[in-house]
Amino acid sequence: MTDFVDVHADNAAAWNQTSDWYRDKIAGALPGLRFGGVTLHPVETQLLKSLGDMSTWCDRAIHLQCAAGLDSVSLANFGAQSVLGIDIADELVDLATSLAAQLGKPVTFRCSDVLDPPAGLAGTADLVYTGKGAVHWMFDIKRWGQVVARLLRPGGWFMLFDFHPMMWLFRGSDTEMTPSGVSYFAPVISYREWPEQHVGALVLPPSEVKVKKLRPWPPSAVIQSLLDAGLDLKSFGEYPDTINAASTAYPQWQPENRRKVATMYSVLARKPE
């Protein structure tokens, strides 16, 4: 398998090309974040609420693959006393740092591959959070689980709300449930174009848009990596495509068909005391 360092570095260059889209997204979210709002999905806020008042137990949250920091700031608004976001795309980290500074929030950011975070962070997180398009960019799922466990303090929580690999099994451009031929079991997918509903139309010549590679890990592989790293699974959920109005995987389908497929899933796990 290709060394994850090379693949992740190529993906970082691709994500840097989305900085203008994120800059616009930050501008739209800024007023709400300034007054304590969040960009977290309702599923995420419900999962966090199930753990109790976040301000009473979360001294530090670490957000892996934080992109431009919108959800990182949201964690602070939701009650985390401090938040550290980590992302490999340096231009997005710069945007995130500027966002936190504008809002005066206790949120900082590091530019790093999440599979090789700074050693000094080990055992410092009450919460490790990631999702909404994160894990399928990881090319070493076993090492990823080990990083999550290493960052958590004893008794700390891990929360994931991410895309389900079922979103790759059908053709999103078709009006019917047409199989795509993509394997469910973590194929390597390489593509150049960005989905317009995700990052909009990049203002770049097609030849300059960076190639990206991802691996849509099935939830079983993700959960097993956490179990192998010593975490205890507390909950697992799967959610239909209708749960995401803005980023549906199958926008051309009728709602009754969109309700038949899982395109998001959640995991709550805890590091033993």
Side-chain angles (χ1 to χ4, degrees):
M1 186 180 72
T2 305
D3 189 331
F4 80 82
V5 174
D6 295 332
V7 177
H8 287 188
D10 290 343
N11 285 341
W15 276 102
N16 274 336
Q17 290 187 313
T18 70
S19 58
D20 286 343
W21 180 84
Y22 270 107
R23 191 173 288 108
D24 290 342
K25 189 172 183 181
I26 286 171
L30 196 59
L33 292 172
R34 192 182 303 278
F35 291 99
V38 300
T39 57
L40 300 170
H41 191 280
V43 169
E44 295 175 305
T45 58
Q46 286 301 115
L47 289 171
L48 288 173
K49 286 178 181 177
S50 74
L51 305 179
D53 182 352
M54 198 173 180
S55 66
T56 66
W57 61 267
C58 187
D59 289 332
R60 167 179 270 181
I62 294 181
H63 180 186
L64 302 181
Q65 294 168 265
C66 65
L70 292 168
D71 286 345
S72 308
V73 170
S74 295
L75 290 173
N77 282 351
F78 206 74
Q81 300 302 304
S82 67
V83 182
L84 172 64
I86 300 175
D87 200 275
I88 197 172
D90 61 309
E91 292 185 27
L92 300 189
V93 169
D94 288 344
L95 287 177
T97 301
S98 175
L99 171 65
Q102 290 181 69
L103 296 174
K105 300 294 182 179
V107 186
T108 56
F109 298 92
R110 299 274 188 94
C111 185
S112 170
D113 192 313
V114 300
L115 295 189
D116 191 24
L121 297 178
T124 65
D126 299 288
L127 171 73
V128 172
Y129 159 78
T130 190
K132 289 186 288 194
V135 178
H136 58 220
W137 296 102
M138 296 292 96
F139 269 68
D140 188 336
I141 198 65
K142 182 177 180 65
R143 183 165 177 168
W144 173 84
Q146 292 168 343
V147 167
V148 169
R150 186 163 68 249
L151 292 174
L152 286 170
R153 64 161 180 79
W157 287 95
F158 170 71
M159 187 179 85
L160 169 72
F161 179 64
D162 212 355
F163 294 140
H164 198 294
M166 191 173 283
M167 70 182 295
W168 295 93
L169 299 188
F170 302 94
R171 297 187 186 279
S173 59
D174 287 5
T175 57
E176 303 296 329
M177 298 177 69
T178 308
S180 66
V182 173
S183 170
Y184 180 80
F185 296 102
V188 175
I189 296 175
S190 179
Y191 68 105
R192 185 182 295 274
E193 74 285 353
W194 285 102
E196 187 164 347
Q197 73 270 22
H198 187 169
V199 297
L202 294 179
V203 186
L204 290 169
S207 61
E208 293 183 19
V209 179
K210 301 292 186 181
V211 173
K212 300 164 283 294
K213 290 183 179 179
L214 50 80
R215 293 193 68 174
W217 300 99
S220 59
V222 174
I223 290 171
Q224 191 61 52
S225 74
L226 297 170
L227 295 175
D228 288 345
L231 270 60
D232 295 330
L233 178 65
K234 297 301 183 180
S235 74
F236 169 65
E238 296 176 290
Y239 311 91
D241 192 50
T242 49
I243 202 169
N244 271 339
S247 58
T248 170
Y250 302 115
Q252 307 301 324
W253 291 9
Q254 294 297 315
E256 59 265 28
N257 284 335
R258 291 180 58 220
R259 284 190 287 268
K260 294 176 182 178
V261 294
T263 54
M264 301 294 293
Y265 72 102
S266 66
V267 175
L268 267 182
R270 196 176 196 189
K271 186 172 182 176
E273 294 279 1

